[in-house]
Amino acid sequence: KQEVTQIPAALSVPEGENLVLNCSFTDSAIYNLQWFRQDPGKGLTSLLLIQSSQREQTSGRLNASLDKSSGRSTLYIAASQPGDSATYLCAVRRRAGANNLFFGTGTRLTVIP
Amino acid sequence: EAGVAQSPRYKIIEKRQSVAFWCNPISGHATLYWYQQILGQGPKLLIQFQNNGVVDDSQLPKDRFSAERLKGVDSTLKIQPAKLEDSAVYLCASSSLTGSRNTIYFGEGSWLTVV
């Protein structure tokens, strides 16, 4: 069974700092990996989707990388801002079929002004 | 493009009572998911629909939970009778295909507290 782990569970950084969030998964047979953001009291907002054939995806200040063979992904946030404070979740999608999206427990990020 | 709509946003009920949540997916999305997210955990799939058929409900507690998606559009998730451990956020999501390449879009969730 696929297990997804996110470390650290919580992270506090001063504004302006670059930071990296980590996601690891046990089964490398995935189709893609998706990073989400969740604000308190809100649902999940998709940030980046990386297909298994890709190494990275970029959107603005965000860059997500994928190393499928080692079962790892990172989300890099450049020049962090207080508005980036949220919980970040990664989810891996295995081969097409039922119940194919597995989530980590998230990293709660606080950016201190 | 309108997002995934859910209602009600918040609900407080006593244990053994019943509750129903409604979801309207993004227009044209064939696949609809219901996830349960307990505080401090990642979302867990309860049920997945493809159009109006069930693809996977293996983690749905069928003795108390039920879901339907009539006409392949809107969906309802019902809990009867509720238990204290059902307190969670119920997230509805949709995607255009069951294939792997498509982004899944989530609603804002329905927050359930069972007292």
Side-chain angles (χ1 to χ4, degrees), chain B residues 59-71:
Chain B
Q59 297 193 87
L60 187 74
K62 297 181 185 65
D63 58 334
R64 299 183 299 105
F65 286 64
S66 65
E68 61 181 8
R69 190 183 185 197
L70 300 176
K71 301 180 182 178

Side-chain angles (χ1 to χ4, degrees), chain A residues 51-70:
Chain A
Q51 303 298 343
S52 61
S53 58
Q54 298 175 320
R55 298 283 295 182
E56 63 179 276
Q57 281 285 345
T58 298
S59 176
R61 294 183 294 108
L62 305 179
N63 176 275
S65 69
L66 174 64
D67 184 344
K68 200 173 85 163
S69 61
S70 67

Side-chain angles (χ1 to χ4, degrees), chain B residues 61-115:
Chain B
K62 297 181 185 65
D63 58 334
R64 299 183 299 105
F65 286 64
S66 65
E68 61 181 8
R69 190 183 185 197
L70 300 176
K71 301 180 182 178
V73 181
D74 294 2
S75 177
T76 56
L77 176 70
K78 297 179 181 178
I79 307 173
Q80 181 179 16
K83 292 185 175 181
L84 296 177
E85 58 261 36
D86 298 333
S87 295
V89 183
Y90 291 87
L91 296 164
C92 182
S94 69
S95 63
S96 59
L97 292 168
T98 54
S100 64
R101 302 191 69 83
N102 299 87
T103 299
I104 294 179
Y105 297 90
F106 282 81
E108 294 202 325
S110 292
W111 297 70
L112 175 65
T113 301
V114 182
V115 297

